[in-house]
Amino acid sequence: MALRLIHTSTLRLESFLVGRILEYAILSHTWTDGHEISYEETDSINSSPSHPATNKIGYSKIMKSCAVSRALGLDYVWVDTCCIKKSSSAELSEAINSMFQWYQNAEVCIAYLADLPPTSNLDNRMSRCKWFTGGWCLQELIAPRNVRFYNCRWDCIGGKIDSDLLELISRISGIDERVLVDASILPSLSVAKKMSWAASRETRKPEDLAYCLMGIFDVNMPLLYGEGSKAFLRLQEEIIKRSNDLSIFAWGHPETTQSYLEEGTRPARDVEGEGHAGRLPATQSDCCGLLAESASNFANCGKLVLHTATVRRNIAFSMTNNGIFFSQMKLRVNFESGCYVLPLLCYEEESPLDGTYLALKKVGPELFARLENCYWEDLFRWNDKVSGYVVTKMTPETMVLTETCRVERVQLSSPLCSNVELHAAIVEVSPEETWDLSTLTFLEDDDEPFTGHVKFDGPMLCRAFNSSTAQRWDDIHLVWWGGDFHTRETVWVYICWARDWEEGSNSRALPSSEVCSIQEGPDFIEGRVISIGDPGNEHYRIDVSVR
């Protein structure tokens, strides 16, 4: 695409092939609706110097920017209002995708602060300038090597890296001083930090808040005005294609990574009438999409620093039509809240020992959803090499899917020991893709017959039970939650020894007399094993068959 520039002496537009070595200035300013000069009006003014458009404020800005450029020894200046033919959607799209590079290549960026009066108190007045809230002005501050600021009278007040302005501009914009000095370090910074710079900025069109960030993240995408907030989702998807930086999921930090809400502290259902109260696992109403809806969600991420590249090199995730697929996630499990915790491999720069985490809930076979609010304590256990999809956006269709997966489930529990101790005794489960370790639950999402297998380490389970006051082995529960019970004739429970399982011989089922009556409640069916014998040093398993 040709770069269209204004000759600072003739005020005529001239086109140059991109790549040609050319020195030019570039204007950065805030627009005044109805008062800017378009490409077509610039052509008309060149043909008719008395054209009414010369009375607009925008024309005065062009004249002044040309004068400033000439004073700096430059023959050309680029002004966004009139150097792009915006009536051509193709040219507009190409220009916006190239704009960051154009600002980088400029000899100087003239930042005109129309609402900054002549004053010696810059610390007080400069922070109020509208220029620091404009979305497009963000890349115009970062990309050029040399940015010179001018007040409402076009008096130069200094450059962005001048010693008396650098700290002030960094404080106002939230951008690190080292970035203002050298934009080449952008790729080494966390995605969340860069997003935070735009958290309080605004654009005239909602799509532009995504488009103005493309250069900062070195991505390109077509412009689709009219898509609204979808543009920001597309921006994140493009970033994910190029980067394995997990901090893109750190939005909301620190509030949404660990919230102490009433919903997270509701008492659980009593078991057999006994006061076995605890926190209920998070529900689908607590779930939200994995991706942020706008840059404002990253407002608290300005100090997030990435772990070393060595730590992050084996992280892999990608966009699919089923959500974002994570390969071999190294999740931590929290049994207290029934959630998984994904370390995002970034931390607050003042607290390098404290990590940032993302709370996930398993809502179906190989399917997870982000938890908007989740409570947890310091109790985590690693669950290595978990692959699965995470829902990117909670649409009505997604909500139906997640609710369906949770309505039909089989859960293992015992009042004699905690879920942590039960988990420690589990050697193997099948089918693994439907197993939710955080709640010791099999998730089922259809009406087909289902069989789940859980293999325990006998001695470890013995130790777990011996730590309680119970002396019997009749307190392992397999619970069928929710669903239409009339579609399931029976919950079958039986035990077999590990050697029978591994050799593929017929399993030795418990006599029916050793399984107590099936108890039905308003939202559960419970089958209890009355006697399991002495597991001794053997592994044993419980098979659940729901038909």
Side-chain angles (χ1 to χ4, degrees):
M1 175 183 177
L3 176 62
R4 194 177 289 117
L5 299 171
I6 303 173
H7 194 285
T8 57
S9 297
T10 66
L11 301 185
R12 292 186 176 275
L13 293 171
E14 299 181 21
S15 297
F16 300 89
L17 293 176
V18 174
R20 175 181 172 182
I21 298 177
L22 184 70
E23 294 183 347
Y24 60 92
I26 202 162
L27 176 65
S28 174
H29 64 116
T30 54
W31 286 28
T32 304
D33 288 341
H35 293 278
E36 301 299 338
I37 302 297
S38 66
Y39 166 80
E40 290 77 12
E41 286 176 323
T42 304
D43 258 358
S44 299
I45 292 172
N46 287 333
S47 301
S48 175
S50 60
H51 191 278
T54 57
N55 297 320
K56 290 185 176 182
I57 296 174
Y59 185 70
S60 174
K61 282 193 283 189
I62 293 173
M63 294 286 288
K64 289 291 188 179
S65 60
C66 285
V68 170
S69 300
R70 285 198 307 272
L72 295 173
L74 299 170
D75 294 330
Y76 295 96
V77 64
W78 186 86
V79 180
D80 55 359
T81 56
C82 63
C83 290
I84 303 173
K85 189 176 181 180
K86 298 178 182 63
S87 58
S88 168
S89 58
E91 179 174 329
L92 178 61
S93 180
E94 190 169 356
I96 288 180
N97 275 275
S98 305
M99 204 171 288
F100 190 86
Q101 184 179 358
W102 292 349
Y103 275 92
Q104 275 186 319
N105 294 338
E107 286 296 311
V108 62
C109 175
I110 301 168
Y112 174 55
L113 310 183
D115 51 355
L116 179 64
T119 179
S120 58
N121 188 8
L122 291 177
D123 190 75
N124 182 46
R125 295 304 300 264
M126 201 168 182
S127 61
R128 305 181 197 174
C129 291
K130 186 180 177 181
W131 189 88
F132 286 100
T133 66
W136 290 106
C137 297
L138 179 60
Q139 68 173 359
E140 295 161 10
L141 173 61
I142 294 174
R145 299 182 303 276
N146 181 16
V147 180
R148 297 171 63 87
F149 292 93
Y150 293 78
N151 63 22
C152 65
R153 295 196 314 194
W154 289 89
D155 300 323
C156 182
I157 59 175
K160 73 170 180 177
I161 61 174
D162 291 354
S163 57
D164 55 341
L165 279 184
L166 180 60
E167 188 276 334
L168 174 61
I169 293 171
S170 174
R171 177 157 37 91
I172 294 172
S173 64
I175 303 172
D176 300 19
E177 292 184 16
R178 58 197 180 107
V179 178
L180 296 175
V181 173
D182 181 12
S184 67
I185 69 170
L186 280 174
S188 67
L189 305 180
S190 71
V191 168
K193 175 190 279 289
K194 289 179 282 192
M195 285 289 190
S196 73
W197 301 336
S200 60
R201 291 182 177 261
E202 302 174 347
T203 54
R204 295 165 65 244
K205 297 180 178 180
E207 299 86 353
D208 283 336
L209 197 52
Y211 302 156
C212 72
L213 298 175
M214 292 192 295
I216 291 174
F217 291 101
D218 193 22
V219 299
N220 298 97
M221 62 185 197
L223 274 57
L224 301 173
Y225 283 107
E227 66 175 328
S229 59
K230 292 180 182 178
F232 194 74
L233 293 177
R234 284 202 299 127
L235 173 68
Q236 293 170 89
E237 291 171 0
E238 291 299 323
I239 294 171
I240 288 171
K241 291 177 184 178
R242 298 176 58 91
S243 169
N244 69 345
D245 180 353
L246 288 167
S247 76
I248 194 171
F249 309 120
W251 56 269
H253 171 82
E255 282 83 357
T256 61
T257 51
Q258 187 168 3
S259 294
Y260 297 79
L261 301 185
E262 289 300 317
E263 288 81 2
T265 57
R266 294 172 294 186
R269 178 185 293 100
D270 287 355
V271 179
E272 288 292 303
E274 300 173 2
H276 186 62
R279 293 184 180 88
L280 283 179
T283 64
Q284 276 57 48
S285 61
D286 299 318
C287 295
C288 63
L290 180 58
L291 300 180
E293 295 182 355
S294 74
S296 62
N297 295 138
F298 290 89
N300 294 320
C301 298
K303 295 184 178 181
L304 286 185
V305 179
L306 294 176
H307 281 297
T308 63
T310 303
V311 175
R312 295 182 287 111
R313 65 185 175 189
N314 293 325
I315 301 298
F317 53 94
S318 58
M319 292 297 308
T320 74
N321 57 5
N322 196 34
I324 296 181
F325 179 75
F326 287 81
S327 176
Q328 306 297 298
M329 285 186 288
K330 192 171 185 179
L331 294 177
R332 289 180 175 181
V333 181
N334 181 254
F335 296 105
E336 179 74 11
S337 59
C339 72
Y340 295 85
V341 182
L342 174 65
L344 297 181
L345 304 184
C346 56
Y347 56 90
E348 289 272 359
E349 55 190 24
E350 293 94 351
S351 306
L353 298 181
D354 296 332
T356 301
Y357 303 92
L358 172 65
L360 298 172
K361 187 70 182 174
K362 192 165 186 177
V363 295
E366 297 186 310
L367 186 65
F368 297 82
R370 177 184 183 131
L371 286 175
E372 185 173 10
N373 303 301
C374 181
Y375 171 89
W376 68 74
E377 296 176 348
D378 295 331
L379 182 60
F380 297 105
R381 287 182 178 270
W382 286 113
N383 181 36
D384 293 334
K385 299 181 179 179
V386 176
S387 297
Y389 299 87
V390 182
V391 176
T392 55
K393 186 176 182 181
M394 295 300 290
T395 63
E397 294 80 6
T398 304
M399 288 297 295
V400 170
L401 174 64
T402 58
E403 290 292 349
T404 301
C405 289
R406 298 302 298 187
V407 164
E408 301 177 347
R409 65 185 188 172
V410 178
Q411 184 174 44
L412 178 64
S413 65
S414 173
L416 299 184
C417 64
S418 68
N419 279 3
V420 175
E421 292 167 312
L422 280 181
H423 161 254
I426 293 175
V427 176
E428 188 175 331
V429 294
S430 176
E432 189 174 359
E433 65 272 12
T434 66
W435 176 249
D436 180 7
L437 176 60
S438 68
T439 56
L440 302 184
T441 302
F442 285 109
L443 305 178
E444 184 64 7
D445 60 356
D446 55 43
D447 293 328
E448 297 299 319
F450 166 77
T451 300
H453 310 283
V454 182
K455 181 179 179 181
F456 289 90
D457 181 282
M460 290 193 69
L461 197 57
C462 283
R463 287 194 294 271
F465 283 177
N466 286 338
S467 66
S468 72
T469 58
Q471 302 297 321
R472 295 165 57 90
W473 294 101
D474 58 1
D475 288 291
I476 292 181
H477 295 229
L478 285 163
V479 184
W480 179 252
W481 294 81
D484 182 357
F485 304 130
H486 299 292
T487 65
R488 307 287 188 173
E489 295 180 358
T490 309
V491 177
W492 291 13
V493 182
Y494 60 92
I495 308 296
C496 72
W497 298 108
R499 57 176 174 266
D500 297 328
W501 184 9
E502 292 162 0
E503 294 171 4
S505 60
N506 293 329
S507 60
R508 187 179 61 184
L510 285 175
S512 58
S513 60
E514 293 195 78
V515 179
C516 74
S517 60
I518 300 299
Q519 301 178 31
E520 293 192 14
D523 58 356
F524 71 97
I525 295 180
E526 177 178 285
R528 172 173 289 190
V529 179
I530 294 299
S531 174
I532 62 173
D534 182 1
N537 293 320
E538 299 279 359
H539 289 113
Y540 64 92
R541 71 174 185 177
I542 297 175
D543 287 14
V544 186
S545 180
V546 181
R547 297 183 179 179

